[in-house]
Amino acid sequence: MIILVTGAGGPAGRAVARRFTGQGHTVIGVDKSGAEGSLAVDLLDAAAVARLAEDVRAEHGRVDGIVHLVGGWRGSKTFAETSLDDWALLHDLLVRTLQHVTLAFEPLLKASERGRFAIVSAKAAERPTQGNAAYGTAKAASEAWTLAFADALEGTSATANILVVKALVHEDMRAASPERTFPGFTDVDDLAEAIDGLWSTDANGTRIDLTATQDLTAAQEGKNA
């Protein structure tokens, strides 16, 4: 398979890339920084994203999976302290990059025999707190755009779905704070596994809540303690 991973330089992007390359698939990593050997593409530049899509089309003719992991967080203590500069930043990171990628790559995803698209959203989109106003709103907007994309894929072999987490955790975080248990957090390797699982379902336009699994695991661990 040909898998495009945006935000490939981050911990989640690295975990997804490891999983798919480990299975022998071709992973095209994209990150503005060019980290981890990824392609340095500014996803806020619509023309640059269009060129990337054309390059992928010319080399592969299709894309079998797009995992959009561009993200960021900004917040405040109170609603009144919310910065609209933070909103502008989050809109660009969480919404605008998503728009550019989906618009440019829709034909290539439809050209796959079993194309899959996924974003990672957060519980904050459902019940944003006052300090999470900008972040929760941007996540909700990215979900709405993804659901519209899913509707565009109806009747094809491709799907678009949303994976919901409380927050993500990785080994560097655990090493930096060994005293923390990170309750309800989703490990980036578990996220990668869930993304891989999208090829085992025809579900389209769904919100897959990974926190439910984390809560069940935590409850079981507490019971066995």
Side-chain angles (χ1 to χ4, degrees), residues 89-109:
L89 174 67
L90 291 170
H91 172 270
D92 280 351
L93 289 175
L94 303 181
V95 183
R96 187 65 73 194
T97 62
L98 171 65
Q99 292 171 330
H100 288 166
V101 169
T102 50
L103 289 170
F105 279 89
E106 179 189 11
L108 292 177
L109 196 68

Side-chain angles (χ1 to χ4, degrees), residues 2 34 37 45 57 70 82 84 130-131 139 141 143 181 203 206 220:
I2 310 301
D45 184 339
R57 185 205 63 77
V70 178
T82 299
L84 293 184
Q130 61 175 313
K139 280 294 189 184
E143 288 195 18
T181 58
T206 61
Q220 188 63 43

Side-chain angles (χ1 to χ4, degrees), residues 48-206:
V49 178
R51 288 193 297 271
L52 173 65
E54 178 56 29
D55 289 344
V56 174
R57 185 205 63 77
E59 184 170 356
H60 303 288
R62 73 187 195 283
V63 64
D64 301 301
I66 302 173
V67 186
H68 189 67
L69 298 173
V70 178
W73 182 86
R74 291 291 187 279
S76 59
K77 290 184 178 180
T78 67
F79 182 79
E81 292 175 297
T82 299
S83 167
L84 293 184
D85 288 339
D86 288 346
W87 159 251
L89 174 67
L90 291 170
H91 172 270
D92 280 351
L93 289 175
L94 303 181
V95 183
R96 187 65 73 194
T97 62
L98 171 65
Q99 292 171 330
H100 288 166
V101 169
T102 50
L103 289 170
F105 279 89
E106 179 189 11
L108 292 177
L109 196 68
K110 287 182 175 179
S112 171
E113 293 183 358
R114 198 167 176 79
R116 294 294 180 265
F117 177 86
I119 66 164
V120 177
S121 189
K123 298 293 284 185
E126 301 171 33
R127 294 184 61 85
T129 61
Q130 61 175 313
N132 255 346
Y135 177 74
T137 301
K139 280 294 189 184
S142 69
E143 288 195 18
W145 185 270
T146 299
L147 294 177
F149 187 41
D151 186 56
L153 298 175
E154 280 290 336
T156 75
S157 59
T159 66
N161 292 287
I162 301 161
L163 301 174
V164 181
V165 302
K166 174 183 176 181
L168 294 173
V169 63
H170 51 86
E171 287 307 310
D172 288 347
M173 291 172 62
R174 292 192 178 95
S177 302
E179 75 285 355
R180 293 186 61 185
T181 58
F182 300 98
F185 283 42
T186 299
D187 191 277
V188 291
D189 288 326
D190 292 333
L191 172 66
E193 180 180 2
I195 291 169
D196 191 5
L198 294 175
W199 277 265
S200 299
T201 176
D202 292 324
N204 184 36
T206 61

